[in-house]
Amino acid sequence: MTAKDALAEALGREISTAEGLTTEPGGTVVAHSNRLDHYTDEDETWSSVTWADHLADPSLEHPLASGPDGDRRAILHVTAHMHPADRELNHAEWSEIGYRIARVAGIAPPGDDQACQWIAVQAQPGRLDVIANLIRLDGTWSAQPRRLLQTLVAEARNIEADLLLHSSHRQDSARRDRAPRLEHVASPRVSTTTSPLAGILRQLAAEQSGPISAVRQLVEEVGRQAASLPGDQTNAAARDLFWAARRLYGLQEQLGEIASRLQPPEPPAALAPAQPVQAPAASRVPAR
């Protein structure tokens, strides 16, 4: 997905050079990266095409930048939907949600002048879209949470409680059904086109967050503790544990390769955006 695709989806219509999006109170762009004033004057209104180009610029300026796994798909798109029973939010509240999503997603660390370019768009009723380029201004890739979706879900729960939304006053059992949801995350970190078999293998093979990784890290930790104890037997045990951890890492790599062979081909660019990922949360939420 491109920045133009993401912004068109956020607006619910095609982008246009004739349509202006303003950052003024009550405007469509309710939050944005902290260096936007370096690119535009306060009174200037950009067209939706210009906004999309602005989000795409880091990819053009740093064409060789890639994520930890070599992926160069740099656009993150997070969509947050309020529950229909929630009260109507004002501009400041939409803005606060946008900034909080940007912070927990790792695209807007506080005080970081080289962070990502991003905007939060409130163009459709009860909906907020955060669109970012994961390539930072210094040309490096932004550091996202290991479990991006779970992190966003947790923050969505915090947002609904802090803003006293409808679902925050319900019991947990009802809340699962009635709460606003984190429904759409399009990102290089969250695949939306994986076949069921490939998806299972990718979860197993996830280098930092998969179940095999958890076992490997535990084995490595026991090995480090054994290595710190006196005696030949503990040293031998530590070596064996490190070898076991290495074999687990090899298993992860092998499963990842098998998953790649099972992965269906990417849909043509002209097709509709990827289907949303459903998950409970307090807002519906991150692509180019």
Side-chain angles (χ1 to χ4, degrees), residues 146-147 189 205-210 213-214 216-217 252:
R146 291 179 179 177
R147 299 185 179 184
R189 294 287 302 280
E207 182 174 345
Q208 298 296 334
S209 59
S213 174
R216 175 173 58 81
Q217 292 171 10
Q252 287 180 267

Side-chain angles (χ1 to χ4, degrees), residues 49-166:
V49 170
T50 304
W51 280 110
D53 289 342
H54 172 71
L55 292 170
D57 279 346
S59 296
L60 299 177
E61 295 173 3
H62 307 284
L64 299 181
S66 63
D69 56 358
D71 199 324
R72 294 184 180 178
R73 294 173 295 173
I75 298 300
L76 173 72
H77 182 191
V78 179
T79 303
H81 273 271
M82 299 298 103
H83 188 277
D86 280 328
R87 60 182 175 78
E88 184 175 346
L89 302 182
N90 59 38
H91 179 91
E93 289 171 321
W94 282 120
S95 180
E96 174 66 15
I97 294 173
Y99 281 113
R100 289 177 64 165
I101 290 174
R103 283 195 295 269
V104 300
I107 60 177
D112 189 345
D113 287 338
Q114 297 299 310
C116 303
Q117 290 182 180
W118 64 275
I119 60 173
V121 176
Q122 207 284 297
Q124 302 185 57
R127 166 173 174 160
L128 183 75
D129 292 77
V130 176
I131 307 169
N133 193 311
L134 295 176
I135 301 174
R136 293 162 43 87
L137 296 182
D138 58 13
T140 61
W141 203 270
S142 65
Q144 292 184 276
R146 291 179 179 177
R147 299 185 179 184
L148 176 60
L149 183 59
Q150 294 91 326
T151 299
L152 290 170
V153 167
E155 182 62 15
R157 290 297 191 193
N158 294 333
I159 290 172
E160 74 176 16
D162 293 345
L163 296 185
L164 301 178
L165 299 179
H166 175 270

Side-chain angles (χ1 to χ4, degrees), residues 2-288:
T2 67
K4 291 182 179 180
D5 294 332
L7 186 53
E9 185 178 333
L11 295 173
R13 57 187 177 275
E14 293 297 319
I15 63 175
S16 168
T17 56
E19 178 186 17
L21 304 180
T22 177
T23 60
E24 295 298 316
T28 305
V29 178
V30 297
H32 51 75
S33 46
N34 61 6
R35 295 193 65 184
L36 185 65
D37 57 350
H38 288 233
Y39 301 92
T40 181
D41 296 329
E42 243 181 55
D43 298 330
E44 184 177 2
T45 299
W46 281 358
S47 72
S48 54
V49 170
T50 304
W51 280 110
D53 289 342
H54 172 71
L55 292 170
D57 279 346
S59 296
L60 299 177
E61 295 173 3
H62 307 284
L64 299 181
S66 63
D69 56 358
D71 199 324
R72 294 184 180 178
R73 294 173 295 173
I75 298 300
L76 173 72
H77 182 191
V78 179
T79 303
H81 273 271
M82 299 298 103
H83 188 277
D86 280 328
R87 60 182 175 78
E88 184 175 346
L89 302 182
N90 59 38
H91 179 91
E93 289 171 321
W94 282 120
S95 180
E96 174 66 15
I97 294 173
Y99 281 113
R100 289 177 64 165
I101 290 174
R103 283 195 295 269
V104 300
I107 60 177
D112 189 345
D113 287 338
Q114 297 299 310
C116 303
Q117 290 182 180
W118 64 275
I119 60 173
V121 176
Q122 207 284 297
Q124 302 185 57
R127 166 173 174 160
L128 183 75
D129 292 77
V130 176
I131 307 169
N133 193 311
L134 295 176
I135 301 174
R136 293 162 43 87
L137 296 182
D138 58 13
T140 61
W141 203 270
S142 65
Q144 292 184 276
R146 291 179 179 177
R147 299 185 179 184
L148 176 60
L149 183 59
Q150 294 91 326
T151 299
L152 290 170
V153 167
E155 182 62 15
R157 290 297 191 193
N158 294 333
I159 290 172
E160 74 176 16
D162 293 345
L163 296 185
L164 301 178
L165 299 179
H166 175 270
S167 53
S168 66
H169 302 291
R170 297 292 183 267
Q171 297 299 320
D172 287 343
S173 58
R175 187 176 179 181
R176 285 193 292 270
D177 297 326
R178 307 178 72 89
R181 296 188 304 278
L182 179 67
E183 294 178 343
H184 179 204
V185 177
S187 165
R189 294 287 302 280
V190 183
S191 174
T192 56
T193 59
T194 305
S195 71
L197 292 178
I200 293 171
L201 292 179
R202 287 193 186 282
Q203 291 178 34
L204 290 172
E207 182 174 345
Q208 298 296 334
S209 59
I212 296 178
S213 174
V215 175
R216 175 173 58 81
Q217 292 171 10
L218 181 59
V219 171
E220 290 174 342
E221 177 59 28
V222 175
R224 283 190 289 269
Q225 293 185 20
S228 67
L229 297 174
D232 294 337
Q233 291 297 322
T234 54
N235 286 336
R239 288 194 298 270
D240 290 342
L241 287 167
F242 288 134
W243 275 111
R246 177 60 189 171
R247 289 196 295 274
L248 286 171
Y249 183 76
L251 175 60
Q252 287 180 267
E253 290 184 322
Q254 184 179 8
L255 291 176
E257 292 172 359
I258 297 172
S260 297
R261 295 199 296 270
L262 293 174
Q263 177 73 34
E266 291 289 338
L271 294 182
Q275 292 299 314
V277 177
Q278 298 291 335
S283 303
R284 162 180 160 169
V285 181
R288 168 175 176 167

